[in-house]
Amino acid sequence: MTRYLKPSLGYYHIKNLTPRIIENFSQSLSDKNLTNHTMEIIISVMKKSLRMARFPYELLNTNLAEYTSYPKRKLTVAELARKNMMI
């Protein structure tokens, strides 16, 4: 949370967050050379946090991350070769 979410979204007041900001953050994760699983974990933590901001804390009227998609990182040639060797 402190490594990815807070530096990117931490300076926004929770009431000023928009679905576009959330989606842009989600898509920016693919530029950080993270594995798909790591990106899924980060997005899941963000979604859970925003879900809790809606209920039970009632800081938001809607869950802004409800429709946020998970970015998919393209595999490098070395990763593809390694994956094919495992099969």
Side-chain angles (χ1 to χ4, degrees), residues 53-74:
R54 182 168 182 252
F55 181 81
Y57 299 114
E58 297 178 359
L59 299 172
L60 297 172
N61 293 330
T62 60
N63 183 356
L64 301 172
E66 186 174 352
Y67 300 109
T68 301
S69 60
Y70 292 95
K72 291 286 185 185
R73 184 177 64 85
K74 292 185 170 122

Side-chain angles (χ1 to χ4, degrees), residues 23-87:
E23 186 67 30
N24 288 343
F25 166 72
S26 172
Q27 295 306 317
S28 74
L29 290 175
S30 61
D31 299 335
K32 297 184 193 267
N33 202 22
L34 301 170
T35 64
N36 288 335
H37 181 68
T38 301
M39 289 188 284
E40 287 176 11
I41 291 170
I42 293 167
I43 298 296
S44 295
V45 168
M46 179 189 62
K47 284 184 172 186
K48 176 69 174 181
S49 300
L50 290 171
R51 194 175 315 121
M52 289 185 70
R54 182 168 182 252
F55 181 81
Y57 299 114
E58 297 178 359
L59 299 172
L60 297 172
N61 293 330
T62 60
N63 183 356
L64 301 172
E66 186 174 352
Y67 300 109
T68 301
S69 60
Y70 292 95
K72 291 286 185 185
R73 184 177 64 85
K74 292 185 170 122
L75 297 176
T76 64
V77 174
E79 290 171 327
L80 282 172
R82 197 173 330 122
K83 185 176 179 183
N84 288 336
M85 296 286 287
M86 297 173 101
I87 294 177

